[in-house]
Amino acid sequence: MRADRLVAALLFLQARGLVTAAELAAELEVSERTARRDLEALTASGVPVYAQRGRGGGWRLVGGARTDLTGLTSPEVQALFLAAGSSGASPELRSALRKLLRAVPEPLRPQAEAASRARIVDELDRSGAAMTAVGPHRTVLERAVLDGVRVRLGYARPGDEPRERVVDPLGLVLKAGHWYMVAGTADGLRSFRLGRVTSAEPTEEPVHRPAGFDLAAAWRSLAARLEDRLLAATVTAHADQDALPVLQRLFGGRLSIGRLLADGRREIEAAGPSLEVLAAQLAGLGPQVEVVGPPRARAHLARLGEALMANYGTAREAAVR
C-alpha cells in the first residue's frame, strides 16, 4: 500500500468519522476492493480503525471524528512517517504529513518528525535505475538516524582498505539506484554509499545535528561536489562504432559522441575524476578506442602498455614456443 494513500485514508477517516469502503474508494480514486484492503491493513497495523456492521455502518476511527491516533505505537509512527516522507516530495503529501503530525500524540511527535526527514529520493534523478544491493547495514544506519546516535562506521573506497571513523548519521538518500548516508564527520558533511559500508556499530553518544540542517539541501551540495569531481578531467578519442554501446554503459552522461570520421569511427569525449582513471578505463577496450588527447593521457596509456608487456610478454613468448 502506498504511504501517501495510507496518510490520505487516515485523514479522510478523521474528517468524516464514519465512512464506507465505497466512499473511501471514491475519495482515493481506487477500487472498492482496494479501499477495503487498505482499511483492513490499517487495522492490522494497529491503527484504531474498526468496522461497524449492519445498515448505516461503515468504518470508524476509535474516539470519533476527532482522534489523536493513540492506537499507534512509537515504532508504527516512525514507520509511517519514514515511508511517507520518502515516497515523494509533492506539496500535497507534505501538507498531509503536517496535518497528520498534529493528530499524533505529543510524546511521539519528535520521533514522527525525525522519521519524516530521515530519508529522501533525489528528485533530480530521472534515470529509473534499478535498485542495487545496499549491503547488510542499512537497517542499523536507518535506526541510528531515527534514534539520533553516532555510529562507528567501517567504510572502504574502491581500491582502498576499510577505514573506521565515528560519524553523525543525519539522513539517507536514494540516488540512481544507490542508497547513500549523509553524515557529519570531523571534516564536515560527507556522503557514504551504503554498498561500501563494511561495518556499522551504534554508540550511545548523541549525534551533533547542525542548526537548521536540511537533508535535501545538504544532499544537493554534496551531489554538486561529487559531480565536480567526476567531471574534473576529459579525454578525446576516436572509437569504433561497435564500441559505442560499451562506452555509453561505462560513462553514461559523462560521454559525448561527436562527428563521424572518414575512417568510419566516431569522435568521442569522456569525462572522469582524473586523466589516469580515464586512460585505465579506456585501455580495456584495446584497439577499439584510440585516445588522441591530451598528451598526458596518451603517455599514461603508453606506460600501461609497457607494464602489461613486462607482466605478460614473457608468458606470451613461452606460449608461442
Side-chain angles (χ1 to χ4, degrees), residues 102-163:
R102 292 196 293 269
V104 171
E106 185 67 37
L108 302 185
R109 289 183 188 176
Q111 296 99 312
E113 290 178 325
S116 68
R117 61 173 183 254
R119 64 187 187 189
I120 60 172
V121 175
D122 190 333
E123 295 176 30
L124 300 179
D125 177 31
R126 305 298 182 192
S127 67
M131 184 73 69
T132 59
V134 297
H137 307 292
R138 176 180 157 189
T139 301
V140 172
L141 294 173
E142 193 168 81
R143 190 75 255 163
V145 171
L146 293 175
D147 293 343
V149 296
R150 288 182 163 179
V151 168
R152 186 174 302 279
L153 188 76
Y155 192 75
R157 297 185 185 279
D160 291 343
E161 292 295 317
R163 175 188 165 196

Side-chain angles (χ1 to χ4, degrees), residues 138-224:
R138 176 180 157 189
T139 301
V140 172
L141 294 173
E142 193 168 81
R143 190 75 255 163
V145 171
L146 293 175
D147 293 343
V149 296
R150 288 182 163 179
V151 168
R152 186 174 302 279
L153 188 76
Y155 192 75
R157 297 185 185 279
D160 291 343
E161 292 295 317
R163 175 188 165 196
E164 277 197 352
R165 71 186 85 186
V166 176
V167 302
D168 294 318
L170 299 172
L172 299 178
V173 180
L174 178 62
K175 169 69 173 179
H178 295 282
W179 280 102
Y180 295 83
M181 177 178 68
V182 174
T185 72
D187 300 318
L189 288 179
R190 294 289 186 271
S191 63
F192 299 90
R193 187 186 289 191
L194 267 61
R196 296 175 183 165
V197 172
T198 58
S199 62
E201 180 184 352
T203 72
E204 296 182 358
E205 303 173 51
V207 300
H208 170 69
R209 191 177 187 88
F213 175 79
D214 179 77
L215 179 58
W219 172 251
R220 284 194 295 270
S221 176
L222 290 169

